[in-house]
Amino acid sequence: CMELITRFESEFGLEGYSCIDEDDRESAISIAIGNLCNKKTIKYENIKLDKSIISDIYSYAVNTRQNLSSSIKAKLFQLSTGEDIDTKISNIKEIISPIIENYIEYKHTHKYIDYDDMLMAVAKILKQNDGLRKYISSLYDHILIDEMQDTNPLQWMLIESFMDNCHLFCVGDDAQSIYGFRGADFKSIHSFVDRVPNSEVYKLEENYRSTQEILDLSNWLLDESPLKYDKHLFAYRGKGEKPIMQYVDDDWEEAELITDSIIKNVRQGKKKYKDHMALTRSAYGARLIEAACISKKIPVIFIKNKN
């Protein structure tokens, strides 16, 4: 999008504009808070409204193409409903609206755009300008979109302008979506065939990572879902051990369960310490397990994936 804006800056109305990153945006919002409220952080009841929170709310509204009230509801109240919630949303909106307006004016005055503006500018003008849309979309034969399940409504609006003149090749997992907090809408992949005329779906059902027992559990979950997945995963590796589903009350109990299992396996001679590995999505998620290992004198090596 930035390449298109630079190349066709007069058509997009952004002559001489430059892009600011997330840190720059938060700094600008912090300045707006200071100018309007004479403080760095605002609080409403027990809710802290700092530069990061306000930036998230604003970005979510732009990417989901929702109004500010809906964005506050999603980001601060997990879409909860009720008269009390509506009152809080209204009061918070009254507090942060001037700050966001000040930030938008700051960008305009300094000829800045942020990442969300970059997408919105291109998506909006291509929708409005038929000639420009046809010309720009004709520059591409094929467009590859990875992680299709994590596209948000703004990104989908951008994609739509390329449908008529380009081949879209979209790759994604219709049973996975982890960026809902950024406004990702998994329905974009479930409704792809309905949204894109003459499209075809190629299912990748052969799995090279897991054993069949793990995939049997996955297939059961897919069958139980109210969404229609219409696929059945099968393992290249064949059979293996059955997975164990274990319920815990909190992260500490989880760490205790894992480390107790390691000690039990070693004492019974089933495994050595080095035969165990605990995988987590983030480094933070491994810290309690690491602490439990140290307290129980289990030798531990922490490996962080730099990718």
Side-chain angles (χ1 to χ4, degrees), residues 217-227 229:
L217 178 59
S218 301
N219 288 328
W220 173 77
L221 283 171
L222 293 177
D223 291 340
E224 291 294 310
S225 172
L227 296 172
Y229 286 98

Side-chain angles (χ1 to χ4, degrees), residues 65 127 133 155-164:
R65 302 176 66 194
K127 279 285 185 184
R133 181 176 67 254
Q155 292 166 338
W156 181 262
M157 178 183 172
L158 177 64
I159 293 167
E160 284 180 321
S161 292
F162 294 88
M163 284 184 187
D164 294 336

Side-chain angles (χ1 to χ4, degrees), residues 103-252:
Y103 167 64
I104 293 171
E105 181 61 29
Y106 170 86
K107 288 187 294 180
H108 180 70
T109 302
H110 293 81
K111 287 201 166 187
Y112 290 149
I113 56 172
D114 57 32
Y115 293 147
D116 298 330
D117 297 327
M118 195 191 306
L119 292 177
M120 178 58 81
V122 176
K124 188 175 180 180
I125 296 300
L126 290 184
K127 279 285 185 184
Q128 297 172 351
N129 190 326
D130 291 341
L132 185 64
R133 181 176 67 254
K134 289 177 182 177
Y135 177 72
I136 288 181
S137 61
S138 71
L139 299 175
Y140 307 91
D141 294 322
H142 305 275
I143 295 180
L144 167 64
I145 302 167
D146 198 11
E147 303 292 2
M148 183 65 190
Q149 75 279 359
D150 289 324
T151 51
N152 60 45
L154 175 56
Q155 292 166 338
W156 181 262
M157 178 183 172
L158 177 64
I159 293 167
E160 284 180 321
S161 292
F162 294 88
M163 284 184 187
D164 294 336
N165 297 307
C166 304
H167 292 104
L168 297 181
F169 189 85
C170 303
V171 182
D173 185 347
D174 59 353
Q176 172 182 298
S177 184
I178 61 173
Y179 287 101
F181 68 96
R182 290 183 183 171
D185 184 0
F186 69 92
K187 291 191 288 292
S188 63
I189 193 169
H190 280 274
S191 60
F192 187 83
V193 175
D194 298 325
R195 293 186 182 186
V196 183
N198 304 314
S199 55
E200 297 179 67
V201 176
Y202 298 90
K203 297 177 183 178
L204 303 178
E205 297 179 296
E206 185 171 10
N207 182 292
Y208 293 86
R209 180 181 294 174
S210 301
T211 56
Q212 190 59 50
E213 282 74 9
I214 293 174
L215 297 183
D216 287 341
L217 178 59
S218 301
N219 288 328
W220 173 77
L221 283 171
L222 293 177
D223 291 340
E224 291 294 310
S225 172
L227 296 172
K228 185 179 180 182
Y229 286 98
D230 193 27
K231 65 180 181 181
H232 189 83
L233 306 175
F234 60 96
Y236 174 83
R237 291 174 58 185
K239 292 185 175 296
E241 294 184 23
K242 284 188 177 183
I244 297 171
M245 187 177 292
Q246 183 71 49
Y247 292 94
V248 293
D249 289 329
D250 52 42
D251 293 345
W252 274 112

Side-chain angles (χ1 to χ4, degrees), residues 230-280:
D230 193 27
K231 65 180 181 181
H232 189 83
L233 306 175
F234 60 96
Y236 174 83
R237 291 174 58 185
K239 292 185 175 296
E241 294 184 23
K242 284 188 177 183
I244 297 171
M245 187 177 292
Q246 183 71 49
Y247 292 94
V248 293
D249 289 329
D250 52 42
D251 293 345
W252 274 112
E253 186 178 337
E254 180 184 62
E256 290 293 312
L257 176 73
I258 291 170
T259 49
D260 285 346
S261 297
I262 293 172
I263 292 172
K264 182 179 178 182
N265 288 340
V266 172
R267 285 176 177 172
Q268 292 179 348
K270 294 179 179 179
K271 302 280 185 180
K272 297 180 180 178
Y273 283 125
K274 66 179 182 179
D275 296 325
H276 298 84
M277 178 182 289
L279 299 176
T280 63

